């Protein structure tokens, strides 16, 4: 899809295509739709990042809460969104050894108990070992730090999802 085609989308079409670039948060796409037309894909990404950055901490934490656990209950029940399923598979999270699964589950539970939202990382940029390491390390951070780190990862996930929808070569 070209950016010129993005700019021609009505609201419903735009949401259908971009509603999940931030996992389970169509509000983000609904908010940035009003900034159409976009010069290029980077401008659309910037518009999304600006909207997210301007949210209060509670809003940012809410975005993190909309993310499924990595190799968690939804993955096991095959109820992940298409995007999340692809991303978790790319990181090798669909073939964990029993001990890796146990480690992931216990770390995810500890992380959620401590912060009140799930551990979020860009799975397409990390393989399962790096994810387990990152989860164990980030458990030691404080809540504000993890909200900001998690949101930074959401932005990376969003960018990769955008580039799979809109060709980056195109600009107005
Ligand atoms: N908790 C998560 O980090 N979830 C995810 N990361 C991704 O890259 N895709 C997800 O669904």
């Amino acid at each position: 899809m070209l950016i010129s085609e993005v700019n021609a989308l009505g609201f419903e079409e735009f949401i259908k295509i971009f509603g999940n670039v931030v996992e389970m948060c169509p509000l983000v796409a609904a908010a940035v739709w009003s900034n159409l037309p976009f010069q290029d894909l980077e401008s659309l990404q910037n518009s999304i990042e600006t909207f997210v950055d301007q949210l209060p901490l509670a809003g940012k934490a809410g975005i993190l809460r909309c993310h499924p656990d990595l190799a968690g209950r939804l993955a096991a029940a095959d109820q992940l969104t298409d995007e999340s399923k692809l991303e978790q598979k790319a990181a090798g999270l669909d073939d964990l050894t029993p001990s890796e699964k146990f480690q992931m589950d216990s770390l995810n539970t500890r992380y959620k108990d401590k912060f009140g939202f799930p551990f979020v990382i860009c799975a397409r940029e990390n393989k399962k070992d790096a994810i387990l390491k990152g989860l164990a390390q980030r458990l030691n951070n404080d809540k504000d730090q993890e909200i900001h780190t998690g949101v930074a990862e959401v932005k990376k996930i969003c960018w990769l999802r955008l580039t799979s929808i809109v060709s980056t070569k195109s600009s107005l």
Side-chain angles (χ1 to χ4, degrees), residues 23 64 67-70 80-81 83-85 87-88 93 108 118-125 131 153 157 160-161:
E23 181 71 4
L64 299 179
H67 283 70
D69 281 347
L70 292 169
L80 292 173
T81 59
E83 296 91 339
S84 176
K85 192 172 180 177
E87 288 151 359
Q88 297 205 27
L93 293 170
N108 267 329
F119 171 76
V120 177
I121 193 168
C122 181
R124 274 170 53 180
E125 287 188 353
I131 290 172
E153 293 299 310
I157 296 166
L160 292 172
R161 290 186 180 185

Side-chain angles (χ1 to χ4, degrees), residues 31-44:
V32 303
W33 179 78
S34 49
N35 300 336
L36 248 57
F38 295 105
Q39 171 72 25
D40 49 29
L41 189 57
E42 289 75 4
S43 314
L44 171 51

Side-chain angles (χ1 to χ4, degrees), residues 88-89 91-98 100 128:
Q88 297 205 27
K89 189 173 172 54
L93 293 170
D94 58 342
D95 69 347
L96 298 176
T97 63
E100 286 169 337
K128 61 185 176 181

Side-chain angles (χ1 to χ4, degrees), residues 5 13 15 20 30 33 63 68 74 77-78 81-82 91 122 131 135 152:
E5 293 166 308
E13 273 297 308
I15 291 293
N20 204 48
W33 179 78
I63 284 182
L74 290 181
D78 196 18
T81 59
D82 294 345
C122 181
I131 290 172
L135 179 40

Side-chain angles (χ1 to χ4, degrees), residues 8 14 21 30 35 72 79 83 91 98 106 111 117 138 143 147 171:
F14 186 83
V21 289
N35 300 336
Q79 288 172 354
E83 296 91 339
S106 52
Y111 186 99
F117 48 78
R138 285 171 48 186
K143 186 168 183 176
I147 290 178
S171 67

